[in-house]
Amino acid sequence: IDAHTMCAQAAIVLDDLADAVEHAVRARDLALGTEKPRLGLSALHTEVTAHLLAGDFGAALGAVGIRAALQPAKGDKTVLELVALGIAAAAALGSAEETALHDELSEAEASPATIASADLFAAVYGQRRSEAAYHAARSAGVPRGLLGLTLFGPLMVVAAARWGIEDEALEERVASTVERTGHARGRALLGQAKALQATSRGEHAKAEKLLLDAMQAFATLKLEHERAVAMADHARALAALGRASDASAEMDEVRAIAERIGANALRAS
């Protein structure tokens, strides 16, 4: 069980999310069959993470629903972290489950870091601006651990750039970690963050090029949600450069991708 979970975590860092899901599901099923709930919850957490990062939000939310089958102890830390991931997936889907899951966190008196993570990533995936959620997450020590820094740190750097928050310390830590781990998704997200920073300085031609690079990287990695978000940013850069027709065509494609993958928050943004 542990071996499959570790293989799944390694596959996520190496950007093979389908392989990550396969290993995590095997680990989770083995844990269920041998009545090892704690190992099963760790595997399930990895499975949900892989689904979320792949932009398969329905699968992520569905997997979160499996947690009760593992009969966790009340207030189990891994379960509450699972719920936080489910909140992010529900926000992307525009699902009412977001509120129900958030209530579950509150009732369980989850840690400040877990609640702050849930609020921040709900804002990110729900296409909502929330500087308060970002600052709360940073105050709570998010992102935590090497895996958290590698997988969710780049998303936080993009959020900071998008919302006009200066956080050089986190950006440097994340860039160093991404370089060390070779996480291609993280590199693409950091490029997108650089583009958003250029946009804030009025350097729209530079932003357009960087965003085009990010879109191509996400396409290579088959990350449709990230590609669509970057494309929406690219469309705004094109509009700022006076290329309204090209910008409109790209926004039509963004909406088509969002509809196909069920990313209702992105489609409505």
Side-chain angles (χ1 to χ4, degrees):
I1 297 169
D2 273 341
H4 276 300
T5 301
M6 290 173 68
C7 283
Q9 292 170 345
I12 293 174
V13 174
L14 294 172
D15 304 290
D16 191 343
L17 297 174
D19 190 52
V21 169
E22 183 178 342
H23 278 291
V25 169
R26 285 182 184 176
R28 182 245 296 166
D29 288 346
L30 280 170
L32 278 168
T34 55
E35 298 183 352
K36 293 182 171 65
R38 187 161 295 279
L39 295 179
L41 287 170
S42 178
L44 184 58
H45 186 280
T46 304
E47 177 188 350
V48 172
T49 300
H51 283 310
L52 181 68
L53 299 184
D56 193 349
F57 305 119
L61 195 55
V64 170
I66 297 172
R67 66 193 184 282
L70 291 160
Q71 300 179 335
K74 185 177 171 136
D76 184 278
K77 178 176 177 287
T78 304
V79 171
L80 297 180
E81 290 175 351
L82 263 174
V83 171
L85 294 175
I87 288 170
L93 293 166
S95 168
E97 277 292 298
E98 180 184 350
T99 300
L101 290 171
H102 206 288
D103 288 345
E104 184 176 333
L105 278 191
S106 299
E107 290 167 8
E109 298 181 351
S111 71
T114 300
I115 292 174
S117 295
D119 289 343
L120 174 60
F121 294 116
V124 169
Y125 282 100
Q127 307 300 315
R128 304 189 293 257
R129 185 183 183 104
S130 182
E131 293 94 332
Y134 183 92
H135 290 302
R138 293 291 284 124
S139 295
V142 178
R144 293 186 168 186
L146 180 60
L147 202 59
L149 196 62
T150 303
L151 302 181
F152 293 103
L155 277 177
M156 292 183 66
V157 174
V158 172
R162 188 180 302 285
W163 300 336
I165 299 169
E166 292 187 11
D167 193 346
E168 290 184 13
L170 178 65
E171 187 174 350
E172 288 174 4
R173 281 178 63 213
V174 171
S176 174
T177 302
V178 166
E179 185 63 30
R180 196 163 71 247
T181 59
H183 185 45
R185 169 182 160 276
R187 281 197 298 270
L189 285 166
L190 291 176
Q192 183 180 2
K194 291 291 186 189
L196 294 170
Q197 291 165 353
T199 297
S200 70
R201 296 190 299 267
E203 299 171 1
H204 301 297
K206 179 179 180 179
E208 187 271 333
K209 183 181 182 307
L210 288 169
L211 287 164
L212 187 60
D213 290 343
M215 287 163 56
Q216 291 170 341
F218 291 136
T220 299
L221 294 168
K222 300 179 180 177
L223 296 173
E224 285 292 88
H225 183 260
E226 270 87 352
R227 183 170 78 92
V229 173
M231 189 181 296
D233 290 333
H234 186 257
R236 286 186 278 272
L238 290 175
L241 291 169
R243 296 167 58 184
S245 178
D246 292 337
S248 178
E250 283 202 343
M251 285 307 301
D252 286 343
E253 186 173 353
V254 168
R255 285 186 281 270
I257 293 170
E259 183 171 4
R260 186 170 69 247
I261 66 176
N264 294 321
L266 177 60
R267 186 178 61 177
S269 66

